[in-house]
Amino acid sequence: MTVYMIGAGPGDPDLITVKAVKLLKKADVILYDSLANDELLSYAPDDVELIYVGKRAGEHYRKQPEINELLIEQGKKYENVVRLKGGDPFIFGRGGEEELALLAEGINVEFVPGINSAIGAATMMGLPLTHRAVSTSLTLVTGHEDPEKSEKQVNWDYTADTLVVFMGVGLLKKYVPKLLEYRSPDTPVCAIENGTLPNQKIIMGTLADITEKEIKPPALIIIGDVVNVYKECLELRSKFE
Ligand SMILES: C[S@@+](CC[C@H](N)C(=O)[O-])C[C@H]1O[C@@H](n2cnc3c(N)ncnc32)[C@H](O)[C@@H]1O
């Protein structure tokens, strides 16, 4: 009767932790998201029960309260329940809501951190999110604030040198004009689609032109001068590749 809330990492199945694999191997049931790589399910025993609870932009397969209920149900039924989430469970993963729902029902819940997609994708491609003399601060923000919230918390006036926008494709045209109130149009931007996966795509631009580019979810939008550091690295690479 323990739910293990596990971060599956950014996409590449090799970027999961050893601890997560050990728990997948003894899972009775796995509730997994669309961003958790399916290949990871092969670590589980043959008789494992698999429950897909994915949510994608525009496609709400199951609503959050329904996922909470399912977790509670499985937590009462099985000894080892795995809740497998893309990236890290607590970075825009609604892990806290599931934790509260389980604890309120007296169900034990334990956590295994995962490599967050922004950190994982940026690092894997050689883009430093902080860089001496260029960026000393980093903000992770959602580009899709819950529309049901009575008061907006995202105002786009962040002072961090580097901004990474999650779920930021659909409303790009809404928030980029707001960012332009605080940042120069020349600010470099790098969008990463399907980071760390074989179909990864990198789209470069600036705040002035990023809304004209074709970007498909799931994507991360990295904004700030660290993108120029990445460009410099690409140039250096091109000389020896
Ligand atoms: C619901 S959030 C989950 C974030 C996750 N918990 C994490 O720590 O990375 C989903 C958003 O994460 C980002 N994302 C997750 N995996 C990604 C990947 N492999 N490539 C690009 N963006 C990704 C996208 O912005 C996507 O819309």
Side-chain angles (χ1 to χ4, degrees):
M1 213 177 143
T2 295
V3 174
Y4 297 97
M5 205 178 290
I6 295 179
D12 178 340
D14 285 351
L15 294 176
I16 192 159
T17 62
V18 174
K19 186 161 188 159
V21 171
K22 282 183 186 164
L23 289 166
L24 283 168
K25 283 183 176 168
K26 62 171 195 169
D28 299 313
V29 57
I30 303 176
L31 295 94
Y32 63 104
D33 281 351
S34 57
L35 287 173
N37 195 315
D38 284 356
E39 283 183 39
L40 297 171
L41 302 175
S42 63
Y43 286 115
D46 291 342
D47 60 348
V48 72
E49 188 179 336
L50 298 175
I51 306 178
Y52 176 67
V53 292
K55 286 185 279 178
R56 280 238 162 148
E59 166 228 316
H60 273 257
Y61 184 70
R62 285 185 202 269
K63 300 246 182 251
Q64 192 61 45
E66 200 187 332
I67 297 175
N68 295 354
E69 280 309 314
L70 254 178
L71 270 173
I72 291 164
E73 194 184 295
Q74 301 303 314
K76 287 180 177 168
K77 187 166 156 193
Y78 288 115
E79 208 53 47
N80 297 305
V81 178
V82 167
R83 173 71 176 105
L84 191 61
K85 286 176 168 289
D88 182 88
F90 285 157
I91 302 292
F92 302 121
R94 305 192 74 167
E97 287 161 71
E98 294 177 11
E99 176 183 23
L100 287 166
L102 287 161
L103 293 177
E105 290 290 322
I107 296 167
N108 186 38
V109 51
E110 293 180 17
F111 302 92
V112 180
I115 299 178
N116 163 254
S117 57
I119 313 286
T123 296
M124 206 150 146
M125 61 193 255
L127 188 161
L129 290 175
T130 66
H131 190 75
R132 199 175 169 87
V134 175
S135 167
T136 57
S137 51
L138 167 67
T139 289
L140 307 182
V141 61
T142 173
H144 196 93
E145 196 176 14
D146 182 353
E148 282 164 29
K149 262 192 207 164
S150 52
E151 261 183 59
K152 289 257 163 261
Q153 279 174 279
V154 181
N155 294 312
W156 302 103
D157 55 351
Y158 301 102
T159 52
D161 298 315
T162 308
L163 270 191
V164 182
V165 187
F166 286 69
M167 296 163 283
V169 177
L171 297 180
L172 197 67
K173 286 193 173 139
K174 286 221 159 146
Y175 64 81
V176 166
K178 292 187 186 154
L179 277 171
L180 281 167
E181 290 173 24
Y182 305 97
R183 289 172 194 248
S184 152
D186 299 333
T187 308
V189 179
C190 170
I192 312 170
E193 281 179 18
N194 296 302
T196 77
L197 290 163
N199 58 343
Q200 171 174 286
K201 194 171 159 201
I202 313 280
I203 299 132
M204 306 293 266
T206 61
L207 274 184
D209 67 10
I210 196 67
T211 56
E212 290 153 31
K213 313 265 173 176
E214 196 192 341
I215 308 169
K216 293 197 192 107
L220 296 148
I221 316 289
I222 301 177
I223 299 161
D225 289 341
V226 287
V227 174
N228 284 338
V229 178
Y230 173 62
K231 281 189 199 156
E232 203 181 319
C233 293
L234 284 182
E235 269 175 41
L236 290 169
R237 265 180 202 283
S238 69
K239 288 186 186 148
F240 65 81
E241 270 176 3

